[in-house]
């Protein structure tokens, strides 16, 4: 005889598949902007990630108030890293299938990217060390924190932490390729840096990757300032 399912709403008053409750409380305590008052938060989905619809009172610049609704997609924060080798003037990237890009017009959905992943319960630096080794096979040493940005602030809550670090044969600890148990099937690519720059907008259309490549060219390890100093 099977037991009756627990009464309640998963993610609100009973645990969802990840053991979370109270997911409808996010944002209710916000007070940093006096022109925004959170009225209500509705949990729309609580699968692996979380989607909410939040009703707010918003004061416009002319002083009048309106009632607005905003949907937010909460997948947690993430980190990404550009691995570079100044002597070889090369970078390590990866190629993997991204269904959202495929369904929105990318020819095959296989995107060239820097190593990246969600923080989960780690701090940003620990997370990116983990992801770099899992995806590229390199156990990196010191990392440089480049910047932090919101990648799609119109609907996605994620804050992405950007890093860079050198690599060489001494940092290689494995083959990379991602975790098969998580469905990852990642090809590791070592590209000439100038070749990678030339691929922006054609073969490289991933925003975080473009941002790190351009940073590397403008003020990072391959900038004229760094090259002349070397």
């Amino acid at each position: 005889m099977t037991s009756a399912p627990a009464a309640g709403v998963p993610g609100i008053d009973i645990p969802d598949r990840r053991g979370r409750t109270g997911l409808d409380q996010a944002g209710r305590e916000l007070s940093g902007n006096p022109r925004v008052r959170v009225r209500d938060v509705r949990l729309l989905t609580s699968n692996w990630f979380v989607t909410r619809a939040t009703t707010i009172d918003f004061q416009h610049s002319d002083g009048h108030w309106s009632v607005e609704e905003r949907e937010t997609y909460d997948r947690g924060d993430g980190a990404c890293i550009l691995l570079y080798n100044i002597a070889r003037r090369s970078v390590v990237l990866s190629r993997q299938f991204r269904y959202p890009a495929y369904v929105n017009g990318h020819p095959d959905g296989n995107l060239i990217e820097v190593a990246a992943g969600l923080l989960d319960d780690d701090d940003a630096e620990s997370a990116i060390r983990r992801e770099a080794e899992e995806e590229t096979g390199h156990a990196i040493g010191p990392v440089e924190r480049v910047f932090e940005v919101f990648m799609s602030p119109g609907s996605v809550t994620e804050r992405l932490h950007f890093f860079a670090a050198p690599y060489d044969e001494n940092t290689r600890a494995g083959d990379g390729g991602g975790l098969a148990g998580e469905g990852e099937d990642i090809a590791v690519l070592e590209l000439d840096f100038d070749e990678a720059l030339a691929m922006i907008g054609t073969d490289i259309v991933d925003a975080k990757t473009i941002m790190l490549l351009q940073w590397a060219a403008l003020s990072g390890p391959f900038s004229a300032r760094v090259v002349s100093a070397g």
Side-chain angles (χ1 to χ4, degrees):
M1 181 176 180
T2 59
S3 59
V9 179
I12 296 180
D13 45 18
I14 62 173
D16 66 2
R17 60 180 292 198
R18 297 183 70 179
R20 301 169 297 190
T21 58
L23 295 177
D24 60 331
Q25 299 302 305
R28 293 182 185 270
E29 76 292 347
L30 292 173
S31 59
N33 188 339
R35 294 172 54 190
V36 178
R37 302 169 182 161
V38 175
R39 280 192 176 198
D40 186 47
V41 181
R42 291 185 295 116
L43 181 64
L44 301 180
T45 62
S46 173
N47 190 23
W48 194 250
F49 304 133
V50 179
T51 309
R52 301 176 178 91
T54 300
T55 304
I56 63 173
D57 294 325
F58 179 75
Q59 185 181 35
H60 296 258
S61 56
D62 64 3
H64 85 276
W65 290 82
S66 65
V67 179
E68 310 284 344
E69 185 172 90
R70 298 288 187 269
E71 283 193 10
T72 56
Y73 182 60
D74 183 355
R75 62 193 301 271
D77 291 341
C80 60
I81 191 165
L82 178 67
L83 301 183
Y84 62 86
N85 186 303
I86 294 178
R88 297 170 64 170
R89 197 172 174 80
S90 60
V91 292
V92 170
L93 303 177
S94 66
R95 181 187 289 113
Q96 60 182 304
F97 177 70
R98 298 296 198 183
Y99 180 75
Y102 186 44
V103 78
N104 196 31
H106 189 277
D108 60 12
N110 294 313
L111 298 193
I112 296 175
E113 307 178 28
V114 291
L118 296 178
L119 304 189
D120 295 326
D121 294 325
D122 289 330
D123 62 90
E125 185 172 324
S126 298
I128 202 54
R129 290 180 182 281
R130 178 194 72 223
E131 293 296 332
E133 185 167 356
E134 289 177 0
E135 294 191 5
T136 72
H138 286 277
I140 53 177
V143 300
E144 177 179 359
R145 184 181 293 269
V146 179
F147 41 64
E148 301 171 9
V149 302
F150 293 96
M151 295 295 290
S152 186
S155 58
V156 182
T157 63
E158 180 183 22
R159 187 200 311 263
L160 192 60
H161 301 259
F162 285 68
F163 293 91
Y167 79 94
D168 56 28
E169 289 306 313
N170 293 323
T171 62
R172 179 169 295 283
D175 295 330
L179 298 180
E182 295 182 2
E184 294 180 328
D185 185 2
I186 299 172
V188 182
L189 309 175
E190 184 177 32
L191 299 178
D192 174 82
F193 178 68
D194 297 298
E195 178 186 357
L197 278 180
M199 295 166 69
I200 290 176
T202 53
D203 296 303
I204 296 180
V205 292
D206 172 68
K208 63 183 180 293
T209 304
I210 293 171
M211 293 167 69
L212 276 172
L213 289 173
Q214 292 183 334
W215 164 81
L218 293 173
S219 58
F222 300 111
S223 68
R225 172 180 56 80
V226 173
V227 171
S228 60

